[in-house]
Amino acid sequence: MVFGLFFGSVGIIRAVGKNRLYQRTATQQPILQSTMEEEILTEEETENWQEGWVKYQGEIYTYNEEILTFLIMGIDKQRDVEEVAQGTDGGQADALFLLVLNPKDKSIKVVGINRNTMTDVDIYDDQGEYVSTVKAQIAIQHGFGNGMEESCGYQRKAVGNLFYQLPIHGYAAINMSAVATINDAVGGVDVIVPADLDGLNEDFVEGNRLHLMGENAFWYVKYRDTNVFGSADMRLERQKTYLNGFIEAAKQAVHKDLSVVIDLYQAVKPWMVTDVSLDEAAYLAPILADYRFTGDDFYMLPGKTVMGDQYEEFYPDEDAMFGMILDIFYEKVQ
């Protein structure tokens, strides 16, 4: 009876968490143009057309409303999270990823977003008042606000707008100082180094297979040489290899013990700002264990890096990005 009550209460907690996550964006979906310029609707398609449908390369798509999307931000700060004065001290989002869970095919997908992606960024003054919107690197958006929920809200809006008003069900902004704790909580992460990191660590040599623990994981994820053109691109590629390994390690850890997710949630709290509650995390834990994830499920925002007047600028390939969004967040209408 005691075990029945325990598992019953866990089931209730997970059900509450699930409902909260889906209710956040229950009426939202991306705003994509219904057809590309070269697409023509047939008479039958015109008669049966529904709001929100998209025609692309001869196929019709509809948004998958069962998908859950989370924004993961790595904030360039090496201390506990704390509220800061209004201005630009909130910390830049040096790592930006969308974590996408699809219950229909039980898949996990990840989208890596270059920190230098040029997009609409809202500017605020020292009193927190909106000033204007400019084209700038997306990573700076988190710097505005109070470094807590306000800054996360600004960054969430910027990413959602970049992806055509994509619904984002939750976020987690984690200071980089938490990397070692997160890494070691899943028993370390296996990676293959994609390129040499000169002078950082003698083991960080292209092609080396490493099992990262502690500070090595921190530097592997964070380091870049800003004097080298394209360093953000190279770091993002390295972060991709790390996340591939981390998700696999986390899946194995959760298979052994579901409480790992809850323990990790509690351990990282001093370095994290999130709107994902404990009951929502409890709902997500078994999903992490059961859903499939392979290297093919990791997408990089397509585009090109160029040198701007002062800093590197990454410009998305709009056509390729449109197709990627349909591939991940939509499904074909039969």
Side-chain angles (χ1 to χ4, degrees):
M1 182 176 178
V2 173
F3 285 107
L5 290 173
F6 171 75
F7 286 110
S9 63
V10 171
I12 292 172
I13 291 171
R14 294 192 66 239
V16 171
K18 177 181 179 181
N19 289 335
R20 283 182 179 171
L21 286 171
Y22 279 106
Q23 286 172 2
R24 288 181 184 172
T25 62
T27 60
Q28 299 178 31
Q29 61 176 285
I31 303 175
L32 299 179
Q33 60 193 86
S34 58
T35 60
M36 302 297 283
E37 291 182 2
E38 65 274 14
E39 302 289 345
I40 300 175
L41 296 181
T42 66
E43 182 177 342
E44 180 184 8
E45 289 169 347
T46 302
E47 291 176 356
N48 294 286
W49 196 260
Q50 295 185 22
E51 184 178 358
W53 281 9
V54 178
K55 186 172 183 181
Y56 181 68
Q57 296 183 348
E59 300 283 357
I60 297 176
Y61 298 82
T62 185
Y63 176 63
N64 181 357
E65 295 182 348
E66 293 188 31
I67 271 180
L68 288 171
T69 302
F70 299 90
L71 174 61
I72 311 300
M73 300 167 266
I75 308 304
D76 188 20
K77 288 197 172 184
Q78 297 182 41
R79 61 172 187 261
D80 292 2
V81 296
E82 60 181 6
E83 187 167 345
V84 298
Q86 293 287 343
T88 58
D89 294 330
Q92 295 191 8
D94 267 358
L96 288 166
F97 299 94
L98 289 174
L99 176 67
V100 186
L101 309 177
N102 186 352
K104 289 192 173 181
D105 62 6
K106 291 193 172 183
S107 69
I108 299 172
K109 290 183 171 63
V110 177
V111 181
I113 304 169
N114 192 305
R115 55 105 53 220
N116 292 323
T117 300
M118 300 300 288
T119 190
D120 288 341
V121 170
D122 292 337
I123 305 298
Y124 296 85
D125 62 21
D126 291 344
Q127 284 71 48
E129 297 295 327
Y130 170 78
V131 175
S132 64
T133 299
V134 301
K135 288 289 184 184
Q137 289 85 350
I138 196 169
I140 73 171
Q141 183 66 88
H142 187 276
F144 295 95
N146 61 0
M148 303 288 285
E149 290 81 4
E150 189 175 47
S151 296
C152 291
Y154 293 158
Q155 190 70 65
R156 180 182 192 166
K157 176 185 175 184
V159 173
N161 289 346
L162 174 66
F163 282 79
Y164 303 95
Q165 313 300 319
L166 176 73
I168 296 177
H169 297 81
Y171 65 75
I174 305 170
N175 287 1
M176 286 295 192
S177 50
V179 169
T181 298
I182 297 171
N183 179 89
D184 294 359
V186 298
V189 173
D190 294 325
V191 299
I192 300 177
V193 182
D196 293 353
L197 275 72
D198 295 332
L200 181 62
N201 185 311
E202 62 181 12
D203 293 327
F204 290 174
V205 178
E206 181 178 353
N208 264 11
R209 294 176 178 270
L210 302 177
H211 182 74
L212 298 175
M213 293 294 294
E215 288 298 304
N216 278 346
F218 168 78
W219 288 112
Y220 187 86
V221 170
K222 185 182 185 302
Y223 177 79
R224 74 174 175 124
D225 185 349
T226 55
N227 294 317
V228 176
F229 177 77
S231 61
D233 305 61
M234 291 183 280
R235 181 173 64 181
L236 183 56
E237 185 63 34
R238 199 166 65 247
Q239 290 171 344
K240 173 183 175 180
T241 68
Y242 179 82
L243 281 176
N244 278 333
F246 177 81
I247 291 176
E248 183 57 35
K251 283 169 63 67
Q252 293 179 14
V254 173
H255 265 300
K256 296 177 182 177
D257 182 2
L258 280 176
S259 68
V260 166
V261 172
I262 307 303
D263 293 342
L264 182 57
Y265 181 98
Q266 298 286 14
V268 179
K269 280 183 71 174
W271 301 288
M272 177 175 67
V273 179
T274 182
D275 64 347
V276 177
S277 63
L278 197 56
D279 55 3
E280 291 164 350
Y283 167 67
L284 296 171
I287 289 178
L288 180 62
D290 294 338
Y291 283 27
R292 66 168 174 79
F293 176 80
T294 69
D296 293 336
D297 295 315
F298 201 117
Y299 296 71
M300 302 287 269
L301 184 65
K304 183 179 181 181
T305 295
V306 300
M307 193 64 207
D309 292 337
Q310 286 185 287
Y311 304 106
E312 293 176 16
E313 300 174 353
F314 178 87
Y315 289 91
D317 180 327
E318 296 291 342
D319 289 341
M321 180 177 173
F322 191 91
M324 182 188 74
I325 290 173
L326 290 179
D327 185 37
I328 298 174
F329 299 98
Y330 282 68
E331 54 191 353
K332 292 180 181 179
V333 175
Q334 302 301 321

